[in-house]
Structures are given as C-alpha cells and as structure tokens.
Amino acid sequence: MKTKVIAEIGINHNGDMDITKKLIDISVIAGCDVVKFQKRNPDVCVPEHQKGVARKTPWGEMTYLEYKHKVEFGKDEYDEIDEYCKGRIQWTASPWDLDSVEFLEQYDLPFVKIPSALLTDYKLIEECSNRYNKLILSTGMSTLDEIDGAIKAMGGEVHHYNYDFRRCEYALLHCNSTYPAPVNELNLSCIKTLKDRYGCEVGYSGHEYGLTTTIASICFGASIVERHITLDKTMWGTDQMASVEPHGLIKLVRGIKELESAIGSGKKNITVGEKLVRDKLRRK
C-alpha cells in the first residue's frame, strides 16, 4: 500500500520564486510525491465588479485585479518550476479557466486537479478530460448529484468504472471546504461512500488544523492525501492559516508511512517476535 501525498503550494508562494523553491525543497525532504500549484488568468477569473476594488497588500495598495496578477505565475516561472522539480519531485496545477487548461498542456504533468470550487464547471472538466490522461477532483461543498455530473462530464458512467468508455482516468478527493475545517464535520466515512458509489480511486484533501485526522483518512480507504503547505502560517494570504508548516509536513508523511506499515493484511497470525514470547510464557 502506497499513499500518494500531494503538497498543495497553491498561491501560498505569494508570487515569490524563492518561497516557491523553499516549499518544493521541504516537500522533497518530507517525502511528498507531488507539489501542486493553482493557475489562473486573472482577467477571466476575477469578476468584473471586483477588478477595480482597492486592496491593501504587502506591496502597497492596488486594485484586486492588479493584486491577482502580482501573485500569478506565467510561463517563465512555470518553466523554472518545471526545471527545478525535474528528477526530484513531480509537479502539477489546478487550472481555474479554459486559458489555463490550455497553458498547462505544454508541460508533462502526471494529472491536473479540479478544485471543489469548480466541480460543477462541467465545460472546464470536459475540456480537461479531452486534454489530459488523468484528473483528480476535490468534492468539497458538493452533493452526490453534482459529483455525478462531473463524472459524466469526463465521459464516465456513475456506478460503472468503464475504462473503455471514459475519456481519462480519474480519482476523487473527499474534503470539507471550510478553512479551517472543524474536526467534527470532516466525515471521513464519506471516503468509503465515494468508493462504493463511483468505484474509482478516492483520497482525502484536508483543511483542518491538525494532522491526526488526515493521517487517519487512509484507514477509511484514502490512497491520495493532499494538504496545503506554507513556510509560516502568519504569512500574507488567505490559505496560510489552514496550511501545514514544514515540521508538520514531515510529521504528516512520516505518520502516513507508519500507519501504512501498521495496517497489515487483517489475517490473524503469530509473528516471529510473538513466537519467541509464546515459547517462553504460554502455559502448556
């Protein structure tokens, strides 16, 4: 059993390549499998009524559209990311618009990720399924009917995991989209619900403060685990507080590996160590 760990950098780099490289470095040190970013065309993604709204930022006051462009990476930055990750760790991104779907196609990505916010953007999902071999979809703040729609947009059939019919391979991530998510609302049992309903690979994307529940998700069948990461929770940005700092990321991956080792086969047997104790202590 090998759980794939995705370190979600997202936009926690704040448009800074030095921060980005440090986050990639810690992801490699921790033993993560993939680092993930978010790709947007701000001119398309920012609603018209918000584009001119003034916003105070660490770089001074600017319009919201200017701010979004400030923290958005373009081709030069992604070329640098691609080179920096080469031979060390895989990277990918979530495209938030059709321009970004096309932009990311120039890179050899293991998959692209559809965030919970876009789960009902069936046009974008369909376009991704036409261009990429694998999609991973987060299912936070979504109903089963909405997830059904996303599966169908990929050319899949609900209740029928058909490799011949669907256009791409896909996996689902259970998550709660509150930032941070209350522990009593995580509903980890829903991982099994998704596996039973869709018959595909299912994982967990955690937005809670702690690590225990994220690690425990693999006991419910999660084979992919995603957490947002940051250098420091107090940094500028809306996702920083619900993200995992470097020491926490190392603990997370170590905890997942320990639990993978501890789960076992479920068969009742006597271990080599137990046999020695048995021979010594068990009464005849």
Side-chain angles (χ1 to χ4, degrees):
M1 177 180 175
K2 174 66 170 70
T3 306
K4 182 183 289 290
V5 180
I6 302 171
E8 164 72 277
I9 293 174
I11 55 173
N12 281 354
H13 52 71
N14 284 336
D16 188 311
M17 189 54 67
D18 288 337
I19 293 175
T20 299
K21 290 180 177 179
K22 288 177 182 177
L23 289 169
I24 292 171
D25 289 343
I26 190 61
S27 300
V28 172
I29 292 169
C32 298
D33 299 284
V34 186
V35 290
K36 193 182 83 63
F37 299 88
Q38 296 177 20
K39 183 71 183 91
R40 295 174 174 85
N41 177 351
D43 293 325
V44 173
C45 287
V46 177
E48 287 297 328
H49 69 278
Q50 291 186 8
K51 287 181 177 179
V53 174
R55 176 157 186 167
K56 292 182 179 179
T57 76
W59 310 281
E61 186 171 301
M62 59 184 70
T63 67
Y64 187 64
L65 182 60
E66 289 171 334
Y67 159 68
K68 295 304 289 184
H69 276 292
K70 177 76 175 176
V71 298
E72 186 62 45
F73 284 158
K75 180 167 170 47
D76 288 346
E77 290 82 10
Y78 276 110
D79 284 350
E80 190 171 348
I81 288 168
D82 190 59
E83 186 63 32
Y84 195 72
C85 289
K86 196 166 293 181
R88 305 175 68 215
I89 192 171
Q90 292 183 308
W91 75 273
T92 190
S94 292
W96 283 70
D97 52 74
L98 294 175
D99 291 345
S100 298
V101 171
E102 182 178 355
F103 173 87
L104 292 171
E105 198 176 10
Q106 66 190 291
Y107 301 103
D108 183 21
L109 305 181
F111 61 86
V112 295
K113 167 86 184 302
I114 306 298
S116 296
L118 300 180
L119 188 81
T120 56
D121 190 336
Y122 300 141
K123 182 178 180 181
L124 183 141
I125 293 172
E126 181 179 0
E127 189 63 26
C128 285
S129 72
N130 285 326
R131 292 174 180 264
Y132 298 98
N133 293 326
K134 183 173 182 177
L135 303 186
I136 297 180
L137 294 81
S138 277
T139 61
M141 57 186 177
S142 303
T143 66
L144 289 176
D145 286 343
E146 289 170 338
I147 301 171
D148 288 352
I151 298 293
K152 293 172 183 175
M154 292 185 288
E157 296 182 38
V158 180
H159 310 300
H160 185 55
Y161 197 45
N162 189 329
Y163 279 88
D164 296 326
F165 178 68
R166 62 192 182 156
R167 288 188 294 273
C168 68
E169 186 179 353
Y170 54 81
L172 302 174
L173 299 187
H174 168 63
C175 75
N176 181 303
S177 292
T178 312
Y179 289 73
V183 172
N184 65 336
E185 296 180 1
L186 296 182
N187 191 21
L188 295 181
S189 296
C190 194
I191 294 169
K192 185 176 185 304
T193 300
L194 295 177
K195 291 187 78 168
D196 290 345
R197 183 177 179 87
Y198 300 105
C200 64
E201 186 179 14
V202 176
Y204 176 66
S205 179
H207 300 132
E208 65 270 32
Y209 274 134
L211 304 176
T212 305
T213 44
T214 299
I215 296 169
S217 68
I218 71 173
C219 293
F220 293 83
S223 56
I224 304 168
V225 167
E226 177 188 69
R227 286 295 299 261
H228 286 255
I229 65 170
T230 181
L231 295 179
D232 187 335
K233 288 176 180 287
T234 64
M235 289 175 60
W236 166 269
T238 54
D239 293 342
Q240 308 284 5
M241 280 301 294
S243 299
V244 178
E245 293 176 320
H247 65 282
L249 185 62
I250 292 170
K251 288 181 179 179
L252 175 67
V253 178
R254 183 178 63 196
I256 289 171
K257 290 179 178 178
E258 287 177 350
L259 191 50
E260 285 175 340
S261 178
I263 287 175
S265 67
K267 295 179 180 179
K268 180 60 181 170
N269 52 37
I270 299 172
T271 67
V272 174
E274 281 184 315
K275 189 176 186 307
L276 296 173
V277 177
R278 176 189 171 98
D279 292 344
K280 180 179 179 181
L281 299 180
R282 181 63 61 83
R283 292 183 180 180
K284 306 296 183 184

